[in-house]
Every structure is written in C-alpha cells, then in structure tokens.
Amino acid sequence: MLGGAKQMIGLQHSEHGSRASVHRRNGGRVDKRIRLESGRLKRPGGSNPSRSAILKLIKKLFPVHVGIFAFNLFVGFLVFGRSVRGEYGRLDDYTLVVQSVAKNHHFREVFFYSGRVIPAVVGDVLFSPIRSVSDLMYLRIVNVVLLAVTASVLALIVYKLISKDSKTYGLIAGCLIGLTVFVVPASPNAATWAVQSTLHIAMPLALIAGYLIASLDDKNWKRRMSVAFILILLSAFTYQHCVMLTVLPVIFVACQSWATKKTFEVRKFFYVFISCGLALFTNLMFVRFLGSGSEKRSFSQPFAQSLGWFIDTFIPRAVNLGVPDTTNNFRSSLVLALLLLVAPILIRRNLFVNSLICVATCLIAAAVVIPTENWASYRLLFPFQIMLWSSIGFSVFISFELGQKRWNVIPVALLSFLLISGLVNSGNRAWDNFAVPNSVDWESANCVVKKMNPDMPINALVTTDAADIQSKVISYDEYGVVGSAVDWSLINMFNLTPFASKRAALDHPVPPVFPKWAAAGQEGNWLSFPQTECESG
C-alpha cells in the first residue's frame, strides 16, 4: 500500500514537471493549442467537420461511376462533336431513312434474321423518329453516348481492380485505359455511322459479363455465372463480334494475379471461353433455324483460307493504329506495342508472363471472326482493337504499381501523351474521312437536281469515282466511302431528294445506276454528282 502510494505520487510529480516545462518553453503561457488525451494528439475541435461533411456530400451526389461517365461523355463529344453534327448519311443510313419514311421494318428483319435480336427490337423504337437525313444526327449522338458508356464500364473495371491499393492511381489508370475506346482507328467509324448505333449496346454488356466472371469466388460463383452468361447471350444476340470483349476483364485479373500472387487464373479463363462459345453457338443455331440465308455468311470459306486471312490480313490491320492501313503505319504500331509489352519486364523479369497473357488471350478471343466472310472492316476490328490495346495498357499500369510509388508517374505520363495524341487524331479522322466527304456528297446530290425540270427524261444515274471523293483515305466500305459511290446507296440518296419526289408524282421511274466508266461517251441525260457542293454554279 505504502509503495503504491509513493508510486502514484511520483507519477503526479512527473506529470506536473512535464507541464511546468511546457509552461516555461512558452514564456510562462499555457499552451492551449495541444491537449493530451488518452495518449492521442488532438487539436481543439478535432478534424474539420465542415470539410468532411462537404466531401461526403460530394461523394454522395457524384459517386465515382457518375464522375467517370461524365468525363467520358465530355471527351466523346469533345473528340467527335463537330463530326456527328451536320446533315449527311453513310451508305445504309440512307436506306434507313427511306424505310423509316415509308414506315417499313426493313432493318428489324435484317437484324433479326442475322441473329441480332436486340437491335431488331431496340431499333424499332430508336429509328422511329427518323424522317429525313438531318435526323440521322440524333443517332450519331446516340453512338457517342454508347461509346462513352463502354469507355466508362472499362474505366470502372480498371478502377475497382487497382484502387485497392491506391484510389487515385486506380482512378487515373481507369480513365486513361477507358479512353482507348475513342482512340483506336475503328472509333471514328463507329461514332459517325448512324445505323450502327444499336449494335454498340453489345460492348458494355460483354464487359460487364466479363467483370462478373473475373470477380468470381467460391461464395458467389453460381449467381454471378448465371447473370454473366445471360449478359453474354444478350451481347451475342446484339452483335456477335463484340462477345470477345467479355475476355478483357479476365485478362486484367489474370495480369494482376500473376503480378501480385504469381498465380494463374485458369478457372476463370475456362469459364469465360466456354460461356462465350456456348452463347455464339446458340446464336448460330438460331440463325440456321430461321433459314433466311444469313447462315451462309458463317463458315462460307474453307477453314485454311479463313485462317490465312486471319493471320495475314485481320491481325496486322487490327494492330495498326495508323490510317491509312499502310505497311509503315503497321510497323510503327507494332514497335509501339512491343515496347509497351517489354516495359513490365524492366520492373520484374517474370512479368513477361503478363505480356504473353495479353497477346495470346487476345488472339484466341479474336478467333471468333474466322468463320465470317473474311471482310476486315473496322466495325469487325473495333472490339479486338479495344481488347488488345487496353490489355497492354493495364499490364503496364499494374507492373509499375509494383515498383516504388514515384514510378507511377511514368506510365501515367507516357500513356497520357499517347492517348491525347490519339484523341486528336481520332477527331481529325472522323471529320476529314467521314463527316466532310459525306456532307459534300449529300449536298452535291441535292444541288445537282435542285434546278432541274422533274419532267425531263433521265437515262441513268452515275456513281462517283473514288478519285473524286473528298477524302485522302479510301478503305473498305468505311473510311472515305460516300453514298453516291455505291449503286444501291445512290438510289436511296436520289429518292430522298425533293426532285425525286416530284418525279415520282409524275409517275417517272427511278433511273438505273451505272459506273462512271460506263457513262463515258453515252448520249442522253446521264446524271452524275461532282463532289463540289455545286460551288461553281
């Protein structure tokens, strides 16, 4: 008892001495700024409550997913805003307007019998307001919104995977990788082709399904796999080629697992490939059951020929970030891809496995295009380009995250520079190779017939030569191709002019269409459409 009392008195003296020393250091004044309570250093009033409340309110009103979507929507319209405006159409777009004015359900049948049931249903609603070529701008705006949704889903997946260690780094990485959707050469084509709008729904569906599979664990795998397979089916019945995007989140998780745990996600790859295969097989059986002829587009070529096309044409064209699709542009893109694939090895040698995962899995997933008609258009390349370049970017981010924190600035700075340059190029491509040539083409078609007598005889319509198109790039049926250069599209363009309506009222038939070389030296009125917007008169 006596010893305990002495000890307590000693502690009190010690505490009094420490307070006195603080009192002396402050010139005899008591330091009221610091209070020692329960061993913690606290300021009067604790942390700033008003600031915390404001931050909580901001997070509540603007959660991460809303901010990411707003960011991507802003970037989408910043890049493609001027290109989606204006009065023009592209090939099938004119067919869409003609059929919509006539209140036919042409595209509903085309989509349905091609196994694209979702666009057939959604298109009836989405296309119903279209009554003129100027109305197509509304569908191009829908394109940009859907591309922003796809970019946002991709960004959120990356954010959820990387933000476990650093939310800021995860958010930056997610936003940058999401911008891949706007940067690849297929993006300007997707943004400016109005009739393709319903097909873009397949991309976010596939990505969400992929994330559900990538985040499987022993507790939730049955429920998540069921939902994931339904989403994969919906994606397959929207646009078959986009199903390959389901693999992308699994690639992300595989790269992260190898980098952090040195484990390989075999089970998840098995689930995703089996699910995609079953969904595509179901879609193929559906198309064959309908027996409309669309099934002939699948496996129409010998396998050896299709495989050769896949290796010699599809893969080089998909890797190529340059426009036009030249050998020099392909080599430059290949060098860039190799440098980015080698970068993780500089951090840790065994990360070469991540590079192999990216390349091998993308090639396996892209094999879904082998049964097609061997037509390497950009709408076919779009999902593969997103998958390839996004997976490479993610591998770079996850690898540098393993190093020192100050190294994180390297991938952010490098990919920011590449992506900003790509966004500028993408916006210019959309304007120079899609918006301008097709606007000039539509204006020229109207201008040529505007002052003509509708009762005058017309022997034929003459298609526009590629050399006359106001675009430096002509590629497949996309880059630089205008409506008047294709016979069936030219007929629809002609029918949409007021001049054609007046001729129809006079019971004049629609003139036949001939190429320019066939019109040379012919007598009569062969109507051609110079790509000048009638500037000379």
Side-chain angles (χ1 to χ4, degrees), residues 502-516:
K502 294 175 183 177
R503 282 179 60 83
L506 297 172
D507 292 329
H508 287 296
V510 178
V513 180
F514 287 90
K516 187 175 181 179

Side-chain angles (χ1 to χ4, degrees), residues 162 169 172-173 176-177 340 343 347 392-402 404-419:
I162 296 182
Y169 187 64
I172 294 173
L176 290 177
I177 291 175
L340 292 175
I347 305 297
I392 292 175
F394 183 86
S395 177
V396 172
F397 272 112
I398 204 69
S399 301
F400 275 87
E401 190 185 25
L402 298 176
Q404 299 180 20
K405 286 189 176 182
R406 64 174 180 270
W407 291 1
N408 290 350
V409 72
I410 297 175
V412 171
L414 174 62
L415 294 182
S416 295
F417 172 76
L418 293 175
L419 287 167

Side-chain angles (χ1 to χ4, degrees), residues 317-331:
R317 188 172 172 81
V319 173
N320 198 341
L321 290 175
V323 175
D325 181 33
T326 61
T327 303
N328 288 335
N329 282 337
F330 167 68
R331 289 173 179 169

Side-chain angles (χ1 to χ4, degrees), residues 65-75 152:
H65 62 276
V66 174
I68 288 177
F69 175 68
F71 169 75
N72 283 297
L73 193 64
F74 171 77
V75 172
S152 300

Side-chain angles (χ1 to χ4, degrees), residues 302-367:
F303 179 76
Q305 180 179 335
S306 296
L307 183 61
W309 164 82
F310 178 73
I311 296 171
D312 297 335
T313 303
F314 181 85
I315 295 301
R317 188 172 172 81
V319 173
N320 198 341
L321 290 175
V323 175
D325 181 33
T326 61
T327 303
N328 288 335
N329 282 337
F330 167 68
R331 289 173 179 169
S332 301
S333 301
L334 184 61
V335 169
L336 176 61
L338 291 174
L339 289 174
L340 292 175
L341 288 168
V342 169
I345 304 173
L346 301 176
I347 305 297
R348 207 167 67 193
R349 281 181 297 178
N350 67 351
L351 290 179
F352 76 92
V353 175
N354 279 358
S355 300
L356 291 179
I357 290 173
C358 294
V359 175
T361 312
C362 287
L363 289 176
I364 294 170

Side-chain angles (χ1 to χ4, degrees), residues 147-296:
L147 293 183
V149 171
T150 304
S152 300
V153 173
L154 183 57
L156 277 170
I157 292 171
V158 175
Y159 169 73
K160 285 185 173 294
L161 292 175
I162 296 182
S163 64
K164 296 174 183 177
D165 297 322
S166 173
K167 289 189 176 182
T168 302
Y169 187 64
L171 183 61
I172 294 173
C175 289
L176 290 177
I177 291 175
L179 293 179
T180 309
V181 175
F182 301 114
V183 167
V184 293
S187 186
N189 174 68
T192 56
W193 204 336
V195 78
Q196 300 278 328
S197 55
T198 54
L199 303 182
H200 299 328
I201 300 171
M203 293 191 291
L205 290 175
L207 287 171
I208 295 170
Y211 178 70
L212 290 175
I213 295 175
S215 58
L216 285 176
D217 56 38
D218 295 333
K219 296 180 181 179
N220 62 12
W221 75 273
K222 289 184 179 179
R223 182 169 57 88
R224 289 206 171 200
M225 270 305 305
S226 301
V227 176
F229 185 69
I230 292 171
L231 291 174
I232 294 171
L233 270 177
L234 291 174
S235 180
F237 279 83
T238 302
Y239 194 33
Q240 297 89 336
H241 307 305
C242 290
V243 172
M244 70 175 75
L245 281 175
T246 309
V247 183
L248 183 56
V250 181
I251 295 176
F252 291 166
V253 169
C255 289
Q256 188 177 47
S257 295
W258 179 259
T260 57
K261 306 174 188 176
K262 294 185 181 178
T263 58
F264 191 71
E265 299 287 351
V266 177
R267 187 181 66 167
K268 292 176 181 178
F269 276 120
F270 175 78
Y271 285 155
V272 74
F273 280 121
I274 291 297
S275 300
C276 291
L278 286 174
L280 290 170
F281 179 76
T282 304
N283 182 266
L284 177 61
M285 291 300 101
F286 174 79
V287 173
R288 293 203 170 188
F289 173 77
L290 295 177
S292 63
S294 296
E295 72 277 5
K296 296 178 182 178

